[in-house]
Structures are given as structure tokens and as C-alpha cells.
Amino acid sequence: MIGYLLRRIGHGLFLLLGVSLLVFLLMQAAPGDFFSTATLSERMSQETVHALRAQYGLDQPLPVRYVRWLTSALHGEFGYSFSYNMPASALLLPRARNTLLLTVPSLLISWLIAVPLGVFAAWRRVGWIDRLYSGGTSALLGMHDLLLALLALMLALHTGVFPTGGMSSFSASGTLLTDWKDLLWHMALPVSVLVAGSVAPILRHVRSSMIEVLDSRYIRAAEGHGLGPLTVLFRHALPAAANPLISLFGLSTALLLGGSLLVEVVMSWPGLGPMVLEAILGRDMFLVVGAVMLSTVFLICGNFLADLLLYVFDPRIRLDA
Amino acid sequence: MPGPLPVSDVLLRTQRLSLEYTGADGSTISALRDVTLELQPHETVGILGESGSGKSSLSHAILRLLPPNGKIISGKIEYSGEDILALSRRELRQVRGAGIALIAQEPALALNPVLTIERQIIDVLRAHRRVSKQEAMEQTRAMLREVGFTDPERIGRAYPHQLSGGQRQRAAIAQALICNPRVLIADEPLSSLDAVTQAEILELLEKLKRDLHLSMIFITHNSGVLSSLADRVAVMREGEIQACGTLEQLARGTDEYVRALMFPEKNIPTRSSSIASLAASTSAEPLLRLDRVSKHFLQRRFLSRNVFQVQALKNIDLQIAEGASVAIIGRSGSGKTTLARCVAGFERPDEGQILFSGSRSNDRSEIQLIFQDAGSALNPRFTAAEAIREPLDIARRLSFPQRQERALQLMEEAGLDSAWAGRKVGEFSGGQRQRIAIARALAAEPRMLILDESLSGLDLPLQAQILRLLMDLQARHGLTYLHITHDLNFLPFFADQVVVMDQGTIVETGTPATLLESPQPVTKSLVAASERLHVAGMEVAL
């Protein structure tokens, strides 16, 4: 087990190294750099631009820059942002935390809603409940995140109950409790939008996976032994249907950092998404590389989490044939 | 058939029960028609019938376990005076498992793969009785001991996939009986088990019936297993009870259908001597020759680097003459299928060599394999003609009209109406699908056919029909057959040489006749089990 963990971590580090190299090469292939616009500016002399490039090390060949970046990564800085004049990690980490404040609750809430609803929809798969279910999920699937976010903003504007954007009020700065309440109040709308956008596909997966299991002989046998519907659905059928859902859960954690970009932009949430978008447009190279690395870490961890969950939940994997 | 009994004496009764299924297109299919059946306390009633005769529908109808498209349209079901059809869901759940218990077909599919055995048994117990965890565990272990496990703690903690087929069936029986039901419905409880395990399970059911004073409905297509168990037998056909009585009464009857079910071997001609002599005359160089063939598989546990070696075949020597019909018999896991796969070229042996008509080449297109379940071996979306034509289409030696012509010809040869060529494989019945598989195998113009449990999924009368077809084809084309089988049904009819395998080795080679007198323990246990099961056609060898 320990050996397996170490091997997985080794694979992960190797993957990170490969991804960083790839991003470096791609950024190199794109024309221009952060100071390209400055070259066109009349107020800045060519000498100054050259001096700036030299100061930030951009005049060095690619291998040297890559090795320098690696050293700074080992020091926990992950390069330097040109536009903010700060180490990339110091910029990215608080932003990533803000994004996770939105995406982690919305992921958990989506699953908490989708699993029982999906189980119920699978159980009652004919009649009006089914029609309600398929109509509802189709409507949600058809609606773009952007539209949902705009609808939420309209709601905020017309009712005045919720804030229209941002993460905190100017007025709120007092005890820890009021700060938290203020934060939750600001989170409510963006999280709801994210949940509405992600709940339908999960619901569909839960339902179809459950239907397959409910049709199986062992569920019919369990009913034949006189087990009640709750025991049959949640103790016998759901664990047997969990396998593909766990893989889906693992994959969805990979979206934790990037999935909320549009909502962050529209609802002016100070998350990672808007900053990275800006960094890409402005050729703020190390910020981009750092963000990609963070996403890769989440992807690796998500897959690892899914494997561990499968290992815990599925005895066929745990104990081998 | 005894006259109607006073109501109080009848434990379970269905009265003029009729059941219909609604198809996807809205059409209705009648599954049961006016079925009247009575079960007295401590009585065992056998229900004998082909697949599709409605016997499983009857067992599910009694517990109202029908799929959403199944509907009871008339009749009554009474269990100790209560009308089952009038019960509320809650009352019905009390009858299920505690009053009437069901052992479903295929224990591999009837147990939940992700829950431990004890958890599945305890859940049934706690659905019916208010017991503490401690008590539930104790009762579960006692039940597991009752069904023949000597180490109930270990079995209880195991998951279904860690158990063998026979162990799974025992666990399923323990699950069914944990709440002391009065009636046990056993729906084909012996299917997909090897002969020795079948005999063991049959013995267990007889013991439990005595010890727990059970009344039993035993559903099967194999009349042999009923002879020691059933007090009365009801023969079902197309949703109706065709005949009813003791086995002796039924055996004396003249009904064609009943006789085909009870004496399926009557449908097979005895092997003509010309084939046997052909096999003898070409004995100079065998068609297939295995020299010291060994094969092992490596297994690895998840999250572990330890590798286990499983020895599937150990130093197998075997020679098969052209035109011969050889049967390899043995229990599940004895290496029979691995041997067949090596011969067919799907696996390469680790050691030793396999010579087919003198050549070591791995191209074995002259050997064709026919699998147990034609339903999963053939693409259900192909039409019959497409499925049969495919080997010809791949070879591309003939023009399309010629290939189509040949496919139709092969259908006729396999006993299928060539007018059905356009029907999808999925629309055929199990026996017909096996005929399509045979026609497809013949399309490649093989010299040898390997029949890997090709008959064991079929009812005995159907098995007899297919065997008859196979023997016909053998006489016409001079084919060589290698049968792989875990039961001894009809063995003396088709095999002139029998190879007994156990744990990857050949323990004995002989003829069906010498086998019956063999002192070899593995062979003896197989023969004893087959006698216990009253396997069809055994007496011919004597």
C-alpha cells in the first residue's frame, strides 16, 4: 500500500514536470512576450525594454529560463508575474482559494441533490415523475451557465436580497461571525448557479446507472426476500451502481479550478479564472504556467481520489478475482 | 392426480391463474393460462418444462415479483388461507422471505456483488425479525453451518466473487431460509453447476426439506433430478399445466411432449458404426496431437506487486484421430476450457506443442469453436444470414450472391428454415441460436469442431435435438468433435473416447463404458453424481 502510494506520487510529479515543459514550449511558440506591447509604445525607449527583458531574464535561451523557473518552483514561488510584480504563487494561491470556495460547495451540493433524486427517478421510472425528471434535466442541460448567471444577477437586482457581485461587503468588517455570514451571503448566488449547471448531468448518470442495477437479478432476489424499498435502493442497489459514479466524481474534481470561469467573470468573483484569462491575454507567462500546474495537480489528485474511493467501495477491485 | 383437497390442508394454491406480458409494441403475450396448482404441507411439487413454458413466470407470480409489463389478469393465489393478490405491499413483504422464499436461477447473478454474504443474509433476517446485531450474526452463522459450510465466519465475510458456484448456491439457499419460510420455491437451482456440485446441492435441498419441514416447489427442465425429490410433478407447456402426477404415472403416459421431456435420449440415434470405424482406420497419424502441453496464468492483486501463478494445464498428452468424437469431462476449474482455447489457438501453451494435421502452425482456421452461450457469442443485431456469412465475407473467396446462397444452404443444413435468414439473431430462441452458431462454424469448412459446453445452457430435449444434428453433420462431413462438458448427459451417445480432467491434468482416458466401472476417484465422483442426478442416457453405455 505504501509502495503503491509512493509510486502514484512519483508518477504525479513526473506528469507535472512534463506538463510544465509542454506549457513552456507552447508559450514559446506563441508570438511575442509581456513586453511586446511596450516595444510599440513611443514613451519607452528600446534600451529600457531591453533592460527590462534582461532584468526578468527573458533574453535568456529557453533551457536556461526553464531551469530558472524550476529552481524558483522548488522555492515555492513558481516564477514571477510581470504585471503584478510579485511571485506567481503568492498571486495564484489566494485566487485559487476563492475559486474553491465556490466550486467545492457546489460540487458537494450537486452530488447531495443528484444522488437521492437520481435514485428516486430510477425507482419510479414510469409515469409523471419520470416526465417531470426528464423535462427538468433537459431544461437545465439546455441552459448555458452564462444565462443562469445572468438570471441570478437579475434576481439579485430586482429583489435586492442578494449582492450582485464580489466576495464581501465594504461595511462588513467586524467579528468573525459577521464576516462569515457576509461571505456566505455573497456565495449563495454563484454557488446556486454552479449547482444548477452541474446537477443535471450527474442526475442522469445516477439514474441510468441505478436503472441498470435495479433490473438485475440480485435486486429482484432481494425484493423476493421481502426487503423494504429503502433497504433495497440505498443499501443494496446504490453501492452496486456506485462504480461509474465514483469515476465521474473523480473527473469532476478536475474541473474545480476551471469550471467556474464564466460565473466568476459575470458575478465579479475574485477567483482564479478572470486572473488567468487576463494573464493569457497579457502574456504574463509564469502566471499561466502556474495556473496550468495547479489544474494538473487537481486532475491528478481527483483521479487518485477516485481510485481510492473505488478501492474502498468495490470489493471486486479490492480483493481481486 | 389426487382429488381436490380440503382448503385447510393446502398451504399454497394457485387457482386458474393467468398472466400476460405486454410487449414493447403493445401486443400481449400470454405466459400463464388457467394454472391451478396445490402444495400441501411438507410436500414437494416438481414443475417440469422447457424454457419458455412459463415455469419461472409462475414462481415470480406467486410472490408478485413480476416486471412492470407483467400482469395477472385472472385467478387467485392463496397462501395459508390468505389471498396474495389482495395483500398490501407491506403485508406482501412479510410473506416474501418469511412465508414463501425463492431461490432464483443462477446464484452468480442472484447475489449482490458488492455486499458480503453475511450482510445479505442479515438484511433479510432484519427485514422480518427484530433481532440484535449479535443475535442476527449468530443466526446467520448457524444457517451457514446448516447449509454445509464448516467455516461460516470466513464465508460470511466473503464477497460472492470469492466463492465457487456451488458455494454461492449454498449461500443463496442460506439467505432464502434464514427466516424459516414454510414454502421454498427453487427455480432451476442446479443450472450452471457442474455434475458433482449439482448432486451436492440436490442432496442439501433434500436434507433441508427434511430438517426444516419445508414444502417445496422445484422448477427444472431435467426430470432426472425430480425422481428422488418430488412427490408430484406438474408438466408445463406454453403456460399451461399439460399433465400432473407422480413421475411413475407420467412415465407410463403417452403424451408426446411429456415423454420428450422425460426421455430426451430417445430422440438421439445410436452412433453409427461407420463413423467409429472411420476413426479407427485413420489412426496412423492423429488429426490433433498434444505433447506435454502446459499453461499457467499470472494473477496480481490490486495495489500489490505479488504475482500468483495459477497452473491451468500440466503436461497434457492427447491424441485425437480424424472423425473421432472425444469428450473431455471434469468439474469447473479443471482446465477443460483452457485446453480447448489452446487447441483452438486462442492461447499459446507455455510448454509443449500442439500439432494439428501434422503442422505446428498457429493458424487453426480448420478448427472452429462453439461456445456455451450462443446468445452472447453472436452479435444480436446481425441477421441470421449475416452471422453465418461473416466467415465467408472475411475470406472473400466467393462472390456475394454465392456467399448468400451458401449461408442459406448452411441454415437448412443446421435445421433452420432459410426463410428466417432476414431475422435478427436476437429474435431466435436459445436452441435456434445454437443452430445458427453451428451453421456459422460450418461456413469456415472446418475439419474439427470444439463444443465448449455448447449444450449445457439448453433444456434436455433441446440438447438431444442439437446432438442429433451434430451427429448428422459428423456423418455427412467426416468432422472431428471435441466436446467439453461438466455433466455426463447423453455421454454414451456421442462420445467414443472420454478424457477425465482434474486440476489441469488428465486423470483417465477411456470409453463411456469403461468409465462407469473406473476405480479412479475423480471419475468415480463424477459417475456417482451423475447417477444421483439420474443423468439422461447413462444406461446405454452398460
Side-chain angles (χ1 to χ4, degrees), chain B residues 83-189:
Chain B
D83 182 1
I84 294 235
L85 297 180
L87 295 181
S88 71
R89 290 197 162 272
R90 180 180 292 274
E91 291 164 332
L92 178 66
R93 280 206 297 276
Q94 282 160 4
V95 172
R96 289 174 176 178
I100 307 172
L102 175 71
I103 308 175
Q105 279 182 41
E106 300 266 351
L109 302 175
L111 291 170
N112 192 319
V114 298
L115 299 179
T116 60
I117 299 295
E118 62 192 12
R119 168 105 181 251
Q120 298 189 47
I121 299 176
I122 287 174
D123 277 358
V124 177
L125 185 61
R126 300 192 93 182
H128 296 286
R129 308 249 192 285
R130 291 184 160 274
V131 287
S132 69
K133 268 193 178 150
Q134 182 67 29
E135 273 175 84
M137 186 63 87
E138 274 164 22
Q139 287 190 34
T140 297
R141 297 210 167 131
M143 193 69 233
L144 284 171
R145 201 167 278 123
E146 180 89 38
V147 296
F149 288 116
T150 50
D151 48 353
E153 288 82 11
R154 192 180 63 85
I155 295 293
R157 278 193 296 273
Y159 290 90
H161 72 274
Q162 294 172 300
L163 304 180
S164 70
Q167 287 173 322
R168 279 197 285 254
Q169 190 58 287
R170 281 171 198 275
I173 292 172
Q175 191 190 19
L177 296 181
I178 187 71
C179 290
N180 299 314
R182 295 177 71 190
V183 179
L184 179 68
I185 302 176
D187 187 359
E188 298 271 12

Side-chain angles (χ1 to χ4, degrees), chain A residues 201-255:
Chain A
I202 305 175
L203 194 57
R204 292 205 159 186
H205 276 97
V206 174
R207 180 178 177 268
S208 65
S209 183
M210 276 295 285
I211 281 181
E212 205 173 298
V213 171
L214 287 179
D215 280 341
S216 70
R217 298 243 191 116
Y218 53 87
I219 292 302
R220 200 197 275 196
E223 287 177 338
H225 291 309
L227 301 189
L230 283 181
T231 318
V232 168
L233 287 176
F234 288 96
R235 262 167 88 92
H236 287 234
L238 188 58
N243 210 326
L245 302 179
I246 288 171
S247 304
L248 182 70
F249 182 80
L251 283 179
S252 62
T253 56
L255 284 177

